[in-house]
Amino acid sequence: MDTLQLALVFLSIVALHICIADETNQDYTWHIKKIPHIVSSDIVTLKNPSYEAELQLELNGTCGIECQRTLPPPSLADLEEYLSYETVFDNGTRTMTRVNVQGWHPETEMEGNKPKHSVRRKRQIYGTDSRFSISDKQFMTNYPFSTAVKLSTGCSGILISPKHALTAAHCIHDGKDYIKNGKKLRVGLLKVRSKRGGKRRKGSKRAKEDESEDADPPKKDRKQKRKSIQKRSAAAEELTNNLSGKERGSGAGKPSFQWTRVKAIQIPKGWYRDVSHNMSLDYDYAVLELKRPHKKKYMELGISPEADKMPGSRVHFSGFDEDRPGQLVYRFCRVSEESTDLFYQYCDAEPGSSGSGIYIRLKEPNKKKWRRKIIAIYSGHQWVDVNNQQQDYNVAVRITPLKYAQICYWIHGNHASCKQG
Ligand SMILES: *[C@@H]1O[C@H](CO)[C@@H](O)[C@H](O)[C@H]1NC(C)=O
Ligand SMILES: *[C@@H]1O[C@H](CO)[C@@H](O)[C@H](O)[C@H]1NC(C)=O
Ligand SMILES: *[C@@H]1O[C@H](CO)[C@@H](O)[C@H](O)[C@H]1NC(C)=O
Ligand SMILES: *[C@@H]1O[C@H](CO)[C@@H](O)[C@H](O)[C@H]1NC(C)=O
């Protein structure tokens, strides 16, 4: 039995197992809530970023769940400060938008803060590695796996609208400055390509546009352009190494990345606030607006329920772990501890998967159908300050109602489309 078959058997066992577990339980439903309003009050232009920071996939001395417990709960003014955000356009222009929050009362709404799950384990990869490499191109390029994207800087992300991807803030900004190469940030979507490069459906016009989108730098004559495309897809093919025996050697039909430029980046101010000089993970997320819409199915956002309201307290995510180049790596695991803003979880993950969208599947209200939604962003394996000692955890940033309101506002540009979620 080759690895692919093995993986498929595993997947079906897992699926079966999850179904049984789900059926025996009562209320795994998305509870649709009223969303507070985020209203922009003031926009100021800042000086262009210098793009000098180094990408750090593992952060040290961050404020995790333990550190949060020592802090007073944020006031409404604090929250408005953290939810204010920076926008950087591809032409280098940078703005700061201050926001007001309407319809939100921190005293009554911030209740998830009490410790609940006290089981705790450090985990990166220990013992058996329980990650699945999705190497079958059908799986890889179909929902939900197809929503995973790779950033040109090395992280992962997830498609959340026809034009937006969600990722971790630390993948593009170190808390002080944007990272090198952030200026030419690109998002890679997995596509199955024919030998000639470019799966052309009816509109070959779009395919052409995509090709020019691929060329780097932008202005080149046609011949050079083609060359750079070939180089790029050769590199991508190398990345997509060791598929199942059947596909190997045929060359055509392998999934490879199609790179799209980023038009604007939005990062919450909460990411670069100081928690007494230590970085706070609560706001480790960013939204990337693509220059051109993609045509794939994206995944909706949802407000993160508490871990015990999720089937098996389990979360799922797929990303591009560095130790498995070019492979899409899927895993699922239990949440072991939660605060209002963070999850600690047991998932096996390596750097590169930072920024992946963490999703769960719950029932739609009043329907039999189940739907997946993104409820958190995988921040990564991080060193958290616990009583002045560094301990490592796999940390994820939860989507709270306020973060939902903010991200939804970024996607739609108004809050009329973000009344419920
Ligand atoms: C973070 O701290 C841990 C423990 O002190 C150390 O092992 C690790 O190398 C540090 N990582 C970085 C990037 O500084
Ligand atoms: C910040 O981190 C340092 C060590 O990296 C630690 O000594 C200090 O107590 C931390 N501060 C807070 C507020 O957690
Ligand atoms: C950069 O792009 C943004 C958004 O498209 C625009 O508002 C701004 O005026 C541009 N800045 C410059 C200097 O061209
Ligand atoms: C891919 O497979 C080939 C032959 O089976 C092997 O030599 C090579 O090391 C593999 N590459 C990786 C990255 O696993």
Side-chain angles (χ1 to χ4, degrees):
M1 201 186 274
D2 71 13
T3 32
L4 173 71
Q5 279 172 332
L6 206 63
L8 287 179
V9 170
F10 265 126
L11 275 175
S12 29
I13 292 170
V14 164
L16 199 69
H17 177 77
I18 292 171
C19 284
I20 292 165
D22 288 350
E23 232 98 23
T24 56
N25 248 303
Q26 60 305 11
D27 184 34
Y28 288 133
T29 308
W30 290 111
H31 291 281
I32 305 301
K33 288 185 192 146
K34 206 167 151 254
I35 301 296
H37 279 182
I38 299 276
V39 185
S40 86
S41 67
D42 180 25
I43 303 179
V44 290
T45 303
L46 307 174
K47 86 175 192 320
N48 291 9
S50 44
Y51 298 102
E52 281 172 355
E54 298 285 345
L55 176 66
Q56 283 215 346
L57 290 178
E58 279 198 357
L59 306 174
N60 264 22
T62 55
C63 184
I65 291 176
E66 294 80 3
C67 156
Q68 285 177 6
R69 287 203 188 104
T70 67
L71 301 172
S75 65
L76 187 59
D78 290 338
L79 291 169
E80 287 178 336
E81 170 80 7
Y82 306 154
L83 292 163
S84 293
Y85 59 90
E86 209 170 279
T87 307
V88 181
F89 297 98
D90 55 351
N91 61 13
T93 298
R94 181 167 65 128
T95 61
M96 167 64 68
T97 307
R98 279 181 232 293
V99 304
N100 292 132
V101 173
Q102 295 169 358
W104 182 255
H105 308 284
E107 321 79 57
T108 53
E109 322 248 12
M110 312 283 284
E111 273 170 2
N113 252 331
K114 6 178 176 60
K116 258 211 210 129
H117 299 255
S118 52
V119 202
R120 213 188 283 160
R121 263 198 288 164
K122 291 195 237 169
R123 178 116 181 187
Q124 184 170 215
I125 305 231
Y126 297 98
T128 319
D129 185 347
S130 61
R131 295 173 299 165
F132 301 92
S133 280
I134 307 297
S135 49
D136 181 84
K137 73 179 183 203
Q138 286 301 346
F139 267 118
M140 222 181 198
T141 54
N142 276 298
Y143 192 82
F145 301 116
S146 57
T147 58
V149 297
K150 187 176 167 75
L151 306 197
S152 53
T153 53
C155 283
S156 302
I158 189 162
L159 297 172
I160 53 168
S161 95
K163 273 190 95 163
H164 296 87
L166 182 65
T167 187
H170 78 265
C171 292
I172 41 187
H173 192 288
D174 76 347
K176 294 188 182 70
D177 190 11
Y178 289 82
I179 63 161
K180 289 175 183 164
N181 310 324
K183 200 168 184 176
K184 289 199 174 154
L185 190 61
R186 283 156 192 274
V187 171
L189 283 72
L190 276 176
K191 287 256 161 98
V192 180
R193 293 206 154 170
S194 69
K195 236 175 209 149
R196 266 177 226 118
K199 179 180 174 183
R200 298 182 189 217
R201 293 191 202 101
K202 7 185 166 78
S204 69
K205 184 163 171 282
R206 192 184 132 72
K208 242 185 233 156
E209 281 173 3
D210 286 344
E211 278 181 10
S212 63
E213 181 82 353
D214 273 358
D216 179 27
K219 270 176 201 147
K220 280 187 173 177
D221 72 27
R222 232 188 133 71
K223 214 166 152 193
Q224 269 179 318
K225 200 190 263 176
R226 174 140 307 144
K227 221 186 219 162
S228 98
I229 291 164
Q230 279 168 357
K231 251 212 303 244
R232 191 181 297 274
S233 56
E237 252 175 49
E238 210 176 282
L239 276 172
T240 321
N241 61 354
N242 293 0
L243 297 169
S244 74
K246 235 187 305 169
E247 279 150 16
R248 197 187 303 139
S250 77
K254 280 185 187 177
S256 63
F257 288 108
Q258 179 185 44
W259 295 95
T260 299
R261 272 188 236 137
V262 169
K263 183 176 164 197
I265 300 172
Q266 289 175 306
I267 302 184
K269 201 162 172 232
W271 169 239
Y272 30 114
R273 88 182 140 125
D274 262 357
V275 183
S276 315
H277 308 297
N278 291 346
M279 207 174 267
S280 162
L281 289 175
D282 297 7
Y283 291 85
D284 187 7
Y285 59 92
V287 166
L288 312 176
E289 183 183 343
L290 308 180
K291 207 148 192 178
R292 221 177 284 279
H294 62 85
K295 293 201 166 158
K296 295 194 170 200
K297 195 171 168 193
Y298 56 89
M299 205 181 288
E300 270 179 59
L301 296 175
I303 289 172
S304 157
E306 283 161 25
D308 57 10
K309 305 263 166 51
M310 306 177 195
S313 299
R314 263 190 302 261
V315 293
H316 309 248
F317 62 99
S318 311
F320 297 94
D321 299 43
E322 268 174 3
D323 66 327
R324 298 192 185 178
Q327 296 177 24
L328 178 59
V329 183
Y330 163 74
R331 74 228 86 194
F332 62 91
C333 65
R334 282 176 65 86
V335 168
S336 62
E337 194 166 1
E338 62 189 338
S339 68
T340 315
D341 285 286
L342 301 176
F343 282 142
Y344 289 165
Q345 31 83 2
Y346 297 163
C347 283
D348 290 322
E350 285 285 335
S353 54
S354 292
S356 300
I358 293 190
Y359 59 86
I360 58 169
R361 216 169 55 117
L362 297 178
K363 261 188 231 142
E364 298 224 67
N366 310 318
K367 285 187 197 159
K368 279 246 150 130
K369 253 171 63 182
W370 293 71
R371 186 192 279 273
R372 291 184 185 85
K373 291 186 188 178
I374 305 158
I375 54 142
I377 302 104
Y378 181 54
S379 173
H381 176 249
Q382 310 298 16
W383 294 89
V384 170
D385 186 69
V386 183
N387 306 322
N388 293 332
Q389 290 203 320
Q390 300 297 301
Q391 291 195 12
D392 56 327
Y393 294 108
N394 282 344
V395 185
V397 178
R398 297 176 71 179
I399 298 179
T400 61
L402 284 169
K403 292 177 194 167
Y404 181 100
Q406 182 193 46
I407 296 170
C408 186
Y409 182 70
W410 288 344
I411 297 173
H412 295 283
N414 63 67
H415 54 247
S417 317
C418 308
K419 285 181 175 157
Q420 291 189 322

